Amino acid sequence: MTFFAKELIIFDLDGTLIDSAPDLALTINLMLADLQLEPVDESLIRTWVGNGAQVLVERALAHAYLSKPVELSLIDDALAIFLNHYQHNLVVKSRLYPDVYRTLTTLKQQGFTLALITNKPERFIAPILAAMELNSLFSNVLGGDSLARKKPDPLPLITACQQLDFSVEQAVMVGDSKNDILAAKAAKMQSVGLTYGYNYGEPIANSKPDLVLDHFAKLVDHLVRV
């Protein structure tokens, strides 16, 4: 499938542009150690990523306590510990996926407007983009706490379009998770699903994006500005 007459390309961050799971796993295990709980393998933590920091922490605690209920006060304490550790471990092992920088630069040079919508807390986004040398490429950036609701709610996608003065028909959402595809569908926006990244162990094709790609660089072949 080729997308014609698109002007705005909206990207997810974790699992789409960067493999951040190693640093998220590092931070989760630092949090668990502080709480005197057993560490968890990165492979499992990868299946927990995608709904923001609080949900990630809740999943880690649910795993640690198995079927036992987790008190809200513990979740709040654990989240504070996690966020503190993550602030100091944003880009220790995280890396761009292959060809991401080259592809984004090419799309920018072709005249597309690029935006970033992630469920990651907003205060972590700018330092990560700077470390990855991506900060000059995006005209709009929204985090998981930038608005009242986050993906899979369509609000961030609709807001980005409004802020950049594009219609949803002029935009396409690119992501690795069903949260990205569900948000796009709810916004009545076309979408691209990437087969790598973090999607809770489910094939991204199950969410029925308009296009499925297995490599980020292939995106250039499917976007034509008219």
Side-chain angles (χ1 to χ4, degrees), residues 30-55:
L30 287 172
M31 176 199 79
L32 292 172
D34 285 355
L35 295 172
Q36 298 184 332
L37 296 170
E38 292 296 315
V40 181
D41 287 343
E42 180 184 315
S43 59
L44 179 57
I45 295 174
R46 282 179 176 271
T47 68
W48 298 341
V49 177
N51 294 98
Q54 179 162 334
V55 175

Side-chain angles (χ1 to χ4, degrees), residues 42-101:
E42 180 184 315
S43 59
L44 179 57
I45 295 174
R46 282 179 176 271
T47 68
W48 298 341
V49 177
N51 294 98
Q54 179 162 334
V55 175
L56 177 59
V57 167
E58 289 174 353
R59 286 169 176 156
L61 293 176
H63 175 80
Y65 285 94
L66 298 177
S67 59
K68 299 176 183 177
V70 181
E71 295 183 5
L72 291 177
S73 60
L74 176 57
I75 294 174
D76 291 341
D77 291 345
L79 179 60
I81 293 169
F82 172 84
L83 293 175
N84 180 62
H85 280 304
Y86 192 46
Q87 183 74 52
H88 302 288
N89 294 281
L90 291 172
V91 193
V92 177
K93 298 180 180 179
S94 296
R95 296 291 183 269
L96 288 174
Y97 284 109
D99 295 324
V100 163
Y101 182 83

Side-chain angles (χ1 to χ4, degrees), residues 2 14 18 54 74 83 137 147 160 180 201 207 209-210 212-213:
T2 300
D14 300 293
I18 66 171
Q54 179 162 334
L74 176 57
L83 293 175
L137 296 175
L147 303 170
D180 304 309
S207 298
D210 296 281
V212 175
L213 295 177

Side-chain angles (χ1 to χ4, degrees), residues 6-7 10 33-34 37 54 57 65 108 113 116 145 148-150 153 157 161 178 182 196 203:
K6 298 298 181 184
E7 297 289 341
I10 301 173
D34 285 355
L37 296 170
Q54 179 162 334
V57 167
Y65 285 94
K108 187 81 169 178
T113 298
L116 183 74
D145 52 358
R149 299 184 298 279
K150 60 189 175 185
D153 193 279
L157 280 65
C161 290
K178 63 182 179 182
L182 290 171
Y196 59 84

Side-chain angles (χ1 to χ4, degrees), residues 175-216:
D176 66 297
S177 166
K178 63 182 179 182
N179 293 325
D180 304 309
I181 310 308
L182 290 171
K185 287 182 180 297
K188 302 188 186 309
M189 181 184 297
Q190 290 185 296
S191 62
V192 177
L194 298 165
T195 58
Y196 59 84
Y198 323 129
N199 192 36
Y200 318 106
E202 304 172 17
I204 192 66
N206 289 359
S207 298
K208 294 182 170 52
D210 296 281
L211 176 67
V212 175
L213 295 177
D214 57 7
H215 197 290
F216 193 81

Side-chain angles (χ1 to χ4, degrees), residues 13 18 90-91 96 101 116 123-138 141:
L13 181 61
I18 66 171
L90 291 172
V91 193
L96 288 174
Y101 182 83
L116 183 74
R123 65 183 166 119
F124 299 133
I125 302 172
I128 291 173
L129 293 182
M132 300 288 181
E133 300 183 345
L134 299 178
N135 48 323
S136 64
L137 296 175
F138 298 104
V141 175

